[in-house]
Amino acid sequence: MDFRSIRFKLTLWYVFLLGILLISFSTFLYFTLSSSLRRDVDHKLRSLAELIAAESTSPSSKFDFGNIDQTLGASMSLKPIAKFIQVLDESGRISQKSDKLKSVQLPISLNALRNASKGLVTFETNRSPENIPLRIITLPVKEKEQVTKIIQVASSLQDVEDVLKTLVIILVITVPSILMIASLGGQFLASKALKPVDRITQTARIITSQNLNQRIQTLKVKDEISRLIDTFNEMISRLDQSFRQVKQFTTDASHELKTPLTILKGEVEVGLRKKRLPHEYEQILESNLEEINRMSKIVEDLLLLSKADIGEIRLIKEDINLTRFITGLIEQMKILAQPKNIRIETSNHQQELHVFGDPLRMRELFINLIENGIKYTEEGGSILITLAKETDDLSTLLPPHAKRTEAFANITVTDTGIGIAKEDHEKIFNRFFRVDKARSREQGGSGLGLSICKWIVEAHQGKITVQSEPGKGSSFIVRLPLYSPQGQNLDNF
């Protein structure tokens, strides 16, 4: 047996606690029975002593102390438990005693004599010359408020001690036997209870990055072990998803970087095959620079997302007048839209809306969205940017009669581009995902822009979604919590 195992520790604690309970119960039982038996003997001794005292003081009594058993049996139909009786005068000298005490006398202590002189009854336990345990009562007899005699009645406690010894023997045999059986039962119960844990251990040993689809069989009973299994399976699922994402990300990143490197290598090899004119070398270098810029953009975006994942990017937030911010940004983006004759328009929003955010990241967010619309919109198309205020009623989440609304800014960037299939709506925010990979590469896209947009929005406690149909354009909706110029979120109570 492994003494460090939980199974052994559980069994040990179980047996230890059961042992304490059994020993406590046995001790309580022993002292309770001992007290009860001794109290019963004392009661019978006192009753007999009082009866003898009454008979001995009666003028018409013919009580015979020499043959106490026959006297009590004949006159009172009693079978006394006491075997030893003696009567003493007020000074402590023996005047009468039963036949059993002809050669010996009952011991009387100084304390018993002192109590008797005061009219008090005394119980004592002593041993006879034959080493028999005796329970003795010393009862004073009063006549006219004066102690005239002292009656002592004694009975053997041998039966009481025999009963107590038998009880001790039974307990000494029974308690260890129960603990032995309990230890075996505890091991069985611990093994049965920890069997699912062994299954978890065995499954965990065989799970690697290559077979994260393995799961632990769940239990029908929903207990602590079942919750542990569910939690472990959920953890494996998250690890499986993370490994898949890392693997896909590595594959996509390798592919994205491999393409420009292949182009660079091919163009350099073509340029070195023969001597060329200066303008031909310039064309090769310009093409190389374009690919280098594309790789630099990919590396920068990857570095940004990696830092964002581990929380190393610190946002410098401030109050942003979103209405003015969007209006100024649109004027700058119109220059990029001119080559394709794309109109960038905005709806007139009279109320000024404020958000609390990082101006550089917010600029990057909306430039990516508008630039994305320009790339995927055909020549002569349009991009519409709308800004609106939206409120959420939180009353249902609060106590009765409590009212609260939370305000948001909704910024929608709508284009008339190629659109996105419904099944791709969730995927477009994944890294390196492209709706049209060929066109995206020609237009210089890296497939990381929308991933960066999603991170920026979520870093500002917002949400970004998309509504789109193929051939009907796309609408990207950014939802950000509003902020008051006084420095408080716009929550109305």
Side-chain angles (χ1 to χ4, degrees):
M1 179 183 293
D2 186 0
F3 297 105
R4 296 171 298 178
S5 65
I6 296 179
R7 184 180 293 104
F8 174 78
K9 292 177 181 177
L10 286 175
T11 304
L12 183 64
W13 275 107
Y14 171 69
V15 173
F16 175 73
L17 293 176
L18 181 61
I20 291 177
L21 290 175
L22 288 175
I23 292 173
S24 301
F25 173 75
S26 300
T27 304
F28 172 77
L29 178 63
Y30 177 85
F31 284 106
T32 301
L33 181 61
S34 174
S35 175
S36 177
L37 292 175
R38 293 177 188 277
R39 187 166 56 250
D40 185 58
V41 170
D42 289 349
H43 177 71
K44 291 180 178 180
L45 285 176
R46 187 180 186 113
S47 298
L48 184 58
E50 290 175 350
L51 179 62
I52 294 173
E55 287 293 327
S56 65
T57 57
S58 176
S60 59
S61 175
K62 298 179 179 180
F63 195 84
D64 182 9
F65 284 93
N67 200 352
I68 185 68
D69 292 341
Q70 287 81 355
T71 301
L72 290 173
S75 62
M76 304 175 190
S77 300
L78 293 176
K79 185 178 181 181
I81 64 166
K83 301 298 183 183
F84 311 101
I85 302 173
Q86 68 181 15
V87 180
L88 299 86
D89 60 18
E90 65 276 10
S91 62
R93 292 189 298 271
I94 298 173
S95 58
Q96 293 173 304
K97 57 183 177 179
S98 61
D99 291 340
K100 297 285 182 69
L101 295 175
K102 282 186 177 181
S103 58
V104 293
Q105 68 180 39
L106 293 176
I108 182 169
S109 65
L110 183 61
N111 182 57
L113 282 175
R114 189 182 298 114
N115 289 339
S117 66
K118 297 177 182 179
L120 301 177
V121 178
T122 304
F123 285 95
E124 295 176 309
T125 301
N126 259 310
R127 288 194 172 270
S128 68
E130 293 82 13
N131 201 31
I132 298 174
L134 296 175
R135 186 66 172 168
I136 304 172
I137 181 175
T138 303
L139 177 73
V141 180
K142 286 185 177 183
E143 294 181 5
K144 298 179 181 181
E145 300 300 325
Q146 295 291 326
V147 176
T148 58
K149 61 181 69 174
I150 300 172
I151 296 177
Q152 281 190 302
V153 182
S155 176
S156 172
L157 290 178
Q158 189 64 50
D159 292 341
V160 174
E161 289 194 352
D162 289 343
V163 170
L164 294 177
K165 287 179 180 179
T166 303
L167 176 63
V168 170
I169 293 172
I170 293 173
L171 294 176
V172 168
I173 295 174
T174 304
V175 171
S177 300
I178 291 175
L179 292 179
M180 183 74 68
I181 297 172
S183 65
L184 298 176
Q187 285 195 32
F188 172 76
L189 293 176
S191 299
K192 190 173 181 62
L194 295 174
K195 188 175 181 180
V197 177
D198 292 334
R199 192 186 308 157
I200 295 174
T201 304
Q202 293 171 3
T203 305
R205 284 176 178 170
I206 64 175
I207 291 178
T208 64
S209 59
Q210 305 300 321
N211 60 344
L212 285 172
N213 59 336
Q214 292 281 342
R215 295 294 183 273
I216 302 170
Q217 185 179 355
T218 57
L219 302 177
K220 294 181 180 180
V221 180
K222 298 300 179 183
D223 54 9
E224 291 82 355
I225 300 295
S226 177
R227 290 197 295 271
L228 175 63
I229 292 175
D230 292 340
T231 303
F232 194 84
N233 285 336
E234 291 172 2
M235 181 191 70
I236 297 174
S237 298
R238 291 193 298 269
L239 287 174
D240 187 21
Q241 183 179 0
S242 298
F243 270 90
R244 290 177 185 273
Q245 290 177 347
V246 169
K247 186 176 180 180
Q248 183 65 39
F249 176 77
T250 304
T251 303
D252 292 340
S254 300
H255 179 72
E256 291 297 326
L257 293 174
K258 181 181 179 181
T259 301
L261 286 172
T262 302
I263 294 173
L264 282 173
K265 181 180 178 183
E267 290 180 344
V268 171
E269 288 176 348
V270 170
L272 293 176
R273 284 177 185 172
K274 63 178 182 177
K275 291 185 178 180
R276 300 181 180 275
L277 297 175
H279 74 276
E280 292 178 320
Y281 285 116
E282 288 180 2
Q283 290 177 352
I284 294 174
L285 292 175
E286 288 175 358
S287 178
N288 288 350
L289 182 59
E290 183 180 341
E291 296 301 327
I292 291 171
N293 289 336
R294 183 175 298 168
M295 284 194 297
S296 298
K297 175 62 176 172
I298 293 173
V299 172
E300 288 175 4
D301 290 345
L302 285 174
L303 182 61
L304 173 66
L305 290 172
S306 297
K307 288 184 176 180
D309 288 342
I310 61 177
E312 285 190 357
I313 297 180
R314 181 168 173 256
L315 299 179
I316 304 175
K317 294 184 178 181
E318 60 183 55
D319 179 18
I320 299 175
N321 186 325
L322 198 59
T323 308
R324 296 180 186 176
F325 186 83
I326 296 293
T327 302
L329 193 62
I330 289 174
E331 294 302 320
Q332 298 175 6
M333 296 303 294
K334 285 181 178 179
I335 299 174
L336 293 178
Q338 284 178 357
K340 297 179 68 174
N341 196 26
I342 294 175
R343 300 185 312 277
I344 301 181
E345 302 171 343
T346 181
S347 62
N348 293 325
H349 186 80
Q350 301 300 326
Q351 183 182 3
E352 290 189 347
L353 301 179
H354 293 254
V355 296
F356 190 63
D358 188 325
L360 291 177
R361 299 302 174 190
M362 297 295 287
R363 178 181 174 83
E364 185 177 5
L365 165 65
F366 293 112
I367 285 179
N368 278 344
L369 292 177
I370 297 173
E371 194 175 42
N372 200 61
I374 294 172
K375 288 179 183 178
Y376 293 100
T377 300
E378 300 293 341
E379 188 171 350
S382 64
I383 297 175
L384 176 64
I385 302 172
T386 60
L387 182 62
K389 180 180 177 180
E390 182 180 309
T391 56
D392 283 350
D393 188 0
L394 304 180
S395 301
T396 56
L397 304 176
L398 298 174
H401 310 297
K403 295 183 178 180
R404 178 179 174 181
T405 58
E406 195 165 1
F408 294 89
N410 264 20
I411 308 98
T412 305
V413 180
T414 305
D415 61 56
T416 57
I418 61 174
I420 305 168
K422 187 175 182 179
E423 59 269 17
D424 292 334
H425 285 187
E426 294 296 329
K427 299 177 184 178
I428 59 172
F429 296 105
N430 295 341
R431 298 171 189 182
F432 295 116
F433 181 83
R434 293 190 182 92
V435 177
D436 189 337
K437 295 187 177 182
R439 293 186 60 180
S440 297
R441 192 176 303 282
E442 291 174 1
Q443 294 164 345
S446 65
L448 296 173
L450 290 178
S451 299
I452 294 174
C453 289
K454 183 181 180 183
W455 165 72
I456 294 173
V457 172
E458 291 178 350
H460 288 80
Q461 292 79 47
K463 185 178 180 181
I464 183 170
T465 55
V466 63
Q467 295 176 356
S468 180
E469 291 184 29
K472 295 184 179 181
S474 304
S475 294
F476 287 88
I477 302 101
V478 176
R479 197 167 186 255
L480 297 171
L482 284 179
Y483 180 79
S484 70
Q486 289 76 24
Q488 299 293 329
N489 285 334
L490 289 177
D491 297 335
N492 301 320
F493 293 87

